[in-house]
Amino acid sequence: MQVFKIVPTVQQYDWGKLGTSSKVAVFAQSSIPDFHVDESKPYAELTSRKFWMGTHPKSPSLVSASGETLASYLSKNQSLIGKRVSQKFGTEDGNLPFLFKVLAIEKALSIQSHPDKATAEKLHVQQPDIYKDPNHKPEMALAITPFTALCGFLPLEHIATYLNKVPELAALIPQAVLDNFLRVVPTTDPNAPAAKQALRDVFSALMTAPTDIFTTRLAGLIKRFESLSVHAEEESVRELVLRLNTQFPNDIGIFCSFLLNYVNLLPGEAIFLGAGEPHAYVSGDIIECMANSDNVIRAGLTPKLRDIPNLVNTLTYAAAPASRHRVKPLPFSASLASTLYDPPIPEFSVVNTTLMPGQTEGHHAIDGPSIAIIARGKGKLQWSSGSLDVVRGEAIFVGANTAIDLFAGGEEDEKLEIYRAFVEV
């Protein structure tokens, strides 16, 4: 089989959207046998077998026709992965280099980062029960509804403004650390070691502030924001702070609203987070793709383990506008209805195709494997030796070196929309 369906499953986290307000639940109705939506339950991730569409051993995808794991099937059919991808990433066990997800976020995810390869290997050896694999996890989030997130450190001058204008924040930073940061910012290149160290000192001091002190300061901040006593510089994050406090009362992570870029993405816009970049997804539905890993270092907005020492030690402390993290959409070959999102890593890219009823789009053969999710509508995938009828919510594996044609077959004005993650060396 060159092209075949795989069976995704869903995860119910408290941060997921409820019932059919979640893209995850809507997709699952079509793709998972005997799946029924409970309107009272949150549905967070549309993934295969337990967490994702992919081959990570913690929760591998299944081949729909046989029930065999995707990794097992690919290990016996290496041509579906492709020779060059196999050689680069070592796929003898059938493991793909990437994972593919759909997330529906109602409640913010944790303040977190992902380790680089060397750090992941070390953490996996030291704490295998927490860091369950030795791989890094660069990731891309592509909005399919309006989407908000915290991503990467703000420019240093913006952080300095908050430290000057938000007394509740400044009170959590030791005076010597605060003075040094405000002295360094105007005169130092933000990429210089002194600037990175000053930012690290501020972030570390904030995340380790004594609980009794930061909860008192947070209560004062919330009271002030609720009374609309807000400086002009604070207005852009006032609603975010109040939202996070409702979801995670008395959590130090709320103060990260003053250190990290707050971005609002429209459908079709994307951000990329490399190793060591702090972030937190706040709300919205996204397509998410990442390297084949489950490693997350958390520090706030979560009931899970907070590993603040490792987070502080592994961040890049690159302070820059949010535009640094945006992924510029590109044409996909000569295609007219397909858009490529190609982050600066070798493990994955994502292409989005949108067709009106009756339209056709061809994708050239890719020298590597791919997984596609039907996000909207219905239609047909055709290749040299076969075809598949597809509907919203179904997940499809496409083998290496397989050209496919996409046909939209829905009702009038019902678009066929497909997101396809792939790797090509």
Side-chain angles (χ1 to χ4, degrees):
M1 297 187 295
Q2 286 294 112
V3 181
F4 50 88
K5 295 180 182 181
I6 58 177
V7 181
T9 61
V10 299
Q11 289 299 300
Q12 294 173 211
Y13 297 119
D14 65 352
W15 50 261
K17 290 185 175 180
L18 294 177
T20 51
S21 68
S22 164
K23 293 284 188 185
V24 168
V26 172
F27 290 173
Q29 284 179 304
S30 299
S31 59
I32 300 173
D34 300 321
F35 180 87
H36 302 285
V37 178
D38 184 335
E39 293 292 346
S40 68
K41 291 184 178 180
Y43 295 89
E45 294 187 6
L46 176 62
T47 56
S48 298
R49 176 78 182 193
K50 188 174 180 182
F51 278 99
W52 42 68
M53 293 174 279
T55 55
H56 192 285
K58 181 178 177 181
S59 195
S61 298
L62 302 178
V63 177
S64 179
S66 65
E68 183 179 8
T69 67
L70 179 57
S72 174
Y73 186 79
L74 294 179
S75 69
K76 295 177 289 188
N77 296 274
Q78 287 286 317
S79 63
L80 295 176
I81 296 177
K83 184 176 180 180
R84 295 177 65 184
V85 171
S86 295
Q87 289 175 340
K88 181 173 179 63
F89 293 102
T91 62
E92 294 80 6
D93 55 0
N95 262 323
L96 298 175
F98 63 86
L99 300 175
F100 199 29
K101 297 182 181 180
V102 179
L103 273 63
I105 304 159
E106 182 65 26
K107 183 178 181 181
L109 279 67
S110 58
I111 301 291
Q112 61 184 258
S113 74
H114 306 300
D116 60 22
K117 178 68 172 173
T119 303
E121 291 173 349
K122 181 180 72 174
L123 292 177
H124 180 58
V125 170
Q126 295 174 342
Q127 299 172 277
D129 55 327
I130 298 170
Y131 302 103
K132 299 181 183 298
D133 61 72
N135 202 14
H136 65 163
K137 190 186 176 185
E139 67 184 32
M140 181 174 69
L142 171 55
I144 54 177
T145 68
F147 168 64
T148 60
L150 293 167
C151 68
F153 284 108
L154 281 162
L156 295 181
E157 60 271 21
H158 291 186
I159 296 175
T161 297
Y162 281 134
L163 288 170
N164 280 317
K165 294 290 186 177
V166 185
E168 298 88 353
L169 171 67
L172 301 178
I173 312 299
Q175 193 63 48
V177 172
L178 181 62
D179 290 345
N180 180 64
F181 183 85
L182 296 177
R183 177 185 60 79
V184 165
V185 168
T187 60
T188 307
D189 182 327
N191 294 314
K196 288 179 177 288
Q197 185 62 53
L199 177 56
R200 173 177 173 148
D201 291 344
V202 166
F203 182 72
S204 178
L206 175 65
M207 300 308 291
T208 57
T211 301
D212 58 336
I213 296 176
F214 83 70
T215 52
T216 299
R217 296 297 181 178
L218 180 58
L221 177 68
I222 298 304
K223 182 178 180 180
R224 184 164 65 82
F225 276 15
E226 288 177 337
S227 69
L228 301 180
S229 178
V230 182
H231 301 299
E233 295 84 357
E234 300 170 314
E235 188 58 48
S236 62
V237 296
R238 185 183 74 86
E239 290 186 4
L240 172 64
V241 167
L242 295 176
R243 176 190 178 100
L244 295 180
N245 185 65
T246 299
Q247 297 175 352
F248 299 95
N250 297 322
D251 194 298
I252 189 62
I254 298 168
F255 281 102
C256 289
S257 303
F258 300 108
L259 299 186
L260 305 182
N261 290 291
Y262 183 41
V263 298
N264 292 268
L265 272 60
L266 296 175
E269 296 181 323
I271 53 174
F272 171 74
L273 287 310
E277 297 290 354
H279 60 280
Y281 298 158
V282 177
S283 67
D285 295 343
I286 62 172
I287 297 292
E288 188 182 37
C289 199
M290 63 203 67
N292 190 10
S293 174
D294 190 34
N295 286 320
V296 181
I297 307 175
R298 299 179 179 88
L301 307 181
T302 181
K304 297 181 179 181
L305 174 71
R306 302 177 184 221
D307 192 351
I308 292 174
N310 273 317
L311 187 77
V312 169
N313 289 335
T314 57
L315 296 181
T316 65
Y317 297 101
S323 57
R324 171 175 175 266
H325 300 281
R326 288 187 178 258
V327 179
K328 182 181 178 180
L330 301 169
F332 182 63
S333 187
S335 299
L336 299 177
S338 298
T339 303
L340 175 67
Y341 299 83
D342 190 21
I345 41 91
E347 282 87 353
F348 64 85
S349 302
V350 174
V351 61
N352 167 234
T353 300
T354 303
L355 300 173
M356 295 301 294
Q359 286 187 317
T360 301
E361 175 85 324
H363 282 186
H364 64 272
I366 294 174
D367 191 19
S370 58
I371 292 176
I373 179 77
I374 312 303
R376 188 191 309 182
K378 61 182 179 181
K380 180 177 288 188
L381 270 65
Q382 185 171 312
W383 62 104
S384 61
S385 59
S387 66
L388 279 177
D389 292 325
V390 295
V391 298
R392 179 181 64 180
E394 290 187 318
I396 316 295
F397 178 87
V398 181
N401 302 305
T402 305
I404 59 173
D405 291 313
L406 313 173
F407 301 89
E411 303 297 328
E412 184 178 358
D413 296 330
E414 184 184 14
K415 297 177 181 178
L416 173 66
E417 188 169 17
I418 300 175
Y419 292 90
R420 181 183 180 189
F422 66 92
V423 55
E424 184 173 46
V425 178

